[in-house]
């Protein structure tokens, strides 16, 4: 079952055809991104402090870019790629967690939260739910992730969710850093 680590029992799990899965934890709802998320997505991800800690989010990140991203995610093959919009306790969007198998048999996990939602444990809770989902739904027991070396908080989230450092550091580009490469500490999760 989902979210079983550290007593995080799920409230409910729905698999909505073509729209994607919905996961609920005690404090969060992870659901498919919807068109009406565009304004909040652009505001939260448009923060340079958030965008520069991701590889894919450009800066600036206008609403039109958020709309294109939501359209792209809506067309995803859920057997290989899934993105969850993460809603907080008040029902407002707080961030995104995504899993993608484009670079091989092991899914790669990425996540971000808007700055107002840092330090509340939401990232660990959302990542844990997504990992349980990938194990249960995709049957995967191996997930990779990385975080920029200048973002140790992301590493702490991944460690709390069960990731281990591999010792590998890759130079990976960030769109919000103008395409500049940054040292990225690689991690692995084994179910």
């Amino acid at each position: 079952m989902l979210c079983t680590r550290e007593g995080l029992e799920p409230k409910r799990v729905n698999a909505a055809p073509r729209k994607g899965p919905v996961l609920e934890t005690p404090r969060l709802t992870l659901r498919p991104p919807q068109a009406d998320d565009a304004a909040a997505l652009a505001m939260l991800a448009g923060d340079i402090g958030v965008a520069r800690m991701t590889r894919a989010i450009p800066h600036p990140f206008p609403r039109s870019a958020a709309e294109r991203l939501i359209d792209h995610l809506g067309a995803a093959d859920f057997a290989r790629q899934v993105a969850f919009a993460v809603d907080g306790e008040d029902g407002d969007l707080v961030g995104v967690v995504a899993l993608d198998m484009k670079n091989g048999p092991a899914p790669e996990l990425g996540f971000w939260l808007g700055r107002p939602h840092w330090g509340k444990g939401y990232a660990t809770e959302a990542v844990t739910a997504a990992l349980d989902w990938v194990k249960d739904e995709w049957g995967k027991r191996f997930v990779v992730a990385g975080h920029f070396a200048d973002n140790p908080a992301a590493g702490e989230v991944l460690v709390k969710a069960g990731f281990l450092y591999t010792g590998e550091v890759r130079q990976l580009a960030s769109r919000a850093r103008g395409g500049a490469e940054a040292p990225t500490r690689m991690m692995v999760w084994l179910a």
Side-chain angles (χ1 to χ4, degrees), residues 7 10 21 44 65 69 85 115 127 131-133 138 158 164-165 187:
L44 294 171
L69 176 62
R115 191 185 304 257
V127 166
L131 290 169
D132 287 336
W133 181 87
W138 284 353
L158 293 169
L164 302 170
Y165 283 100
M187 301 179 79

Side-chain angles (χ1 to χ4, degrees), residues 111-126:
F111 70 94
W112 61 265
L113 289 183
R115 191 185 304 257
H117 310 289
W118 294 354
K120 298 179 181 179
Y122 288 166
T124 302
E125 191 171 329

Side-chain angles (χ1 to χ4, degrees), residues 11-179:
K11 290 188 241 175
R12 149 182 99 205
V13 177
N14 301 319
R18 300 186 51 129
K19 290 190 176 184
V22 175
L23 315 176
E24 289 193 342
T25 72
R27 301 185 302 158
L28 306 173
T29 300
L30 286 73
R31 60 170 177 76
Q34 303 295 325
D36 61 356
D37 292 325
L41 186 67
M43 181 191 69
L44 294 171
D47 177 339
I48 187 63
V50 172
R52 70 182 302 276
M53 294 303 170
T54 73
R55 291 177 20 212
I57 299 172
H59 184 77
F61 188 65
R63 184 181 176 134
S64 59
E67 290 167 348
R68 285 190 301 276
L69 176 62
I70 291 167
D71 288 345
H72 169 75
L73 295 172
D77 173 3
F78 297 119
R80 300 201 47 78
Q81 181 183 33
V82 66
F84 295 102
V86 180
D87 290 337
E89 295 170 278
D90 60 3
D92 290 340
L93 182 74
V94 299
V96 172
V97 175
L99 292 148
D100 194 331
M101 295 199 329
K102 67 182 172 191
N103 292 325
E108 182 174 355
L109 178 130
F111 70 94
W112 61 265
L113 289 183
R115 191 185 304 257
H117 310 289
W118 294 354
K120 298 179 181 179
Y122 288 166
T124 302
E125 191 171 329
V127 166
T128 299
L131 290 169
D132 287 336
W133 181 87
V134 81
K135 179 180 71 175
D136 293 345
E137 297 300 319
W138 284 353
K140 298 295 182 179
R141 302 208 174 290
F142 177 71
V143 177
V144 298
H147 69 88
F148 291 132
D150 61 352
N151 186 8
E156 291 174 20
V157 166
L158 293 169
V159 167
K160 288 177 187 173
F163 278 82
L164 302 170
Y165 283 100
T166 64
E168 179 183 9
V169 177
R170 295 182 186 168
Q171 295 294 321
L172 297 176
S174 167
R175 290 182 65 194
R177 298 177 190 219

